[in-house]
Amino acid sequence: MTEIRDADAGTLDLLRTRRSVPPMLLDGPGPSPEELDRWLGIAARVPDHGKLAPWRFLVIEGEGRERVGAIIERTFLADVPQADEKRRAQERQRLAHAPVVVGVVSRAGPHAKIPEWEQVLSAGAVCMNLVVAANAAGYATAWLTEWFAYDRRVLDALGLDPAERIAGFIHIGRAREVPSDRPRPDLAQIVTRV
Ligand SMILES: Cc1cc2nc3c(=O)[nH]c(=O)nc-3n(C[C@H](O)[C@H](O)[C@H](O)COP(=O)(O)O)c2cc1C
């Protein structure tokens, strides 16, 4: 048996106030390898119907960010060869701002018992657990996809199987500043008591 937990005001406060910080506002230093591994372990601790682990991680840090940036730029240029250097740099630097970016890969697929939809939802839970873990450790995050998360040429270069998809790139770093919050849904609009 795992222990019964007491109320944890710190966790509630984090969940109540956390917000994304755009990659442009994220800086180093990044987490140590041990710290990042701890977060990935937490991220993988999500509801997962059938214990399929229908997700995996791509860790993009250090020079890996430049390697992936070069893939993104090359793919962009194949479609927009006339792009100027400013625009090219924008694509090249997509993952260059935060010290670490974790790609959460969904491996959802047809299964005799477990609906694919539930496997996809589990990958979303992985993303959110990673976001919460990193924020609880004092970092800030942005959960983004952008066009290249849907581009087969980029996915091939990143080693994704044809059936795999990107659930999100989680950019993780130290916030230089935290933008003001955005409006949040009005509970009256989204809650129905039946
Ligand atoms: C799966 C997923 C993909 C997203 N992709 C993008 C994106 O490509 N570009 C973007 O500006 N926002 C994207 N967002 C939204 C950002 O995460 C956004 O900043 C977020 O909704 C802010 O909410 P928060 O402050 O509660 O984290 C995405 C969100 C999700 C859940």
Side-chain angles (χ1 to χ4, degrees):
M1 291 283 273
T2 341
E3 85 274 22
I4 293 171
R5 218 175 298 282
D6 288 330
D8 176 355
T11 301
L12 287 173
D13 219 40
L14 165 65
L15 292 170
R16 193 178 53 75
T17 58
R18 181 213 58 83
R19 62 142 307 158
S20 287
V21 174
M24 294 285 216
L25 296 178
L26 295 178
D27 253 339
S32 67
E34 296 74 26
E35 196 174 16
L36 178 58
D37 277 354
R38 255 197 319 275
W39 301 345
L40 297 178
I42 291 169
R45 191 185 175 89
V46 289
D48 165 15
H49 194 176
K51 296 194 271 300
L52 303 175
W55 17 258
R56 64 185 181 93
F57 300 109
L58 286 177
V59 175
I60 306 163
E61 57 186 342
E63 289 174 5
R65 298 175 306 163
E66 285 158 37
R67 282 193 292 276
V68 179
I71 292 167
I72 295 170
E73 182 188 12
R74 191 173 69 221
T75 310
F76 172 73
L77 272 183
D79 291 346
V80 191
Q82 71 280 14
D84 61 15
E85 171 51 28
K86 186 165 170 239
R87 191 67 190 79
R88 290 174 62 158
Q90 204 183 345
E91 295 300 337
R92 187 163 65 240
Q93 289 162 7
R94 285 278 190 186
L95 307 182
H97 303 287
V100 54
V101 179
V102 177
V104 177
V105 177
S106 162
R107 304 194 290 176
H111 186 279
K113 292 205 179 118
I114 314 298
E116 189 168 340
W117 166 237
E118 297 185 5
Q119 300 171 48
V120 174
L121 289 173
S122 184
V126 167
C127 292
M128 199 58 209
N129 253 23
L130 179 56
V131 162
V132 171
N135 279 270
Y139 291 77
T141 56
W143 174 355
L144 302 178
T145 43
E146 304 294 352
W147 66 268
F148 52 87
Y150 298 96
D151 189 289
R152 194 61 250 171
R153 296 162 294 181
V154 173
L155 300 183
D156 283 344
L158 291 176
L160 268 72
D161 286 345
E164 292 185 323
R165 280 179 290 175
I166 295 289
F169 288 105
I170 314 297
H171 301 241
I172 305 172
R174 303 281 181 179
R176 273 206 302 280
E177 63 182 90
V178 179
S180 52
D181 203 5
R182 65 186 168 86
R184 300 292 170 168
D186 174 6
L187 279 192
Q189 302 296 317
I190 56 169
V191 177
T192 309
R193 291 196 160 78
V194 291

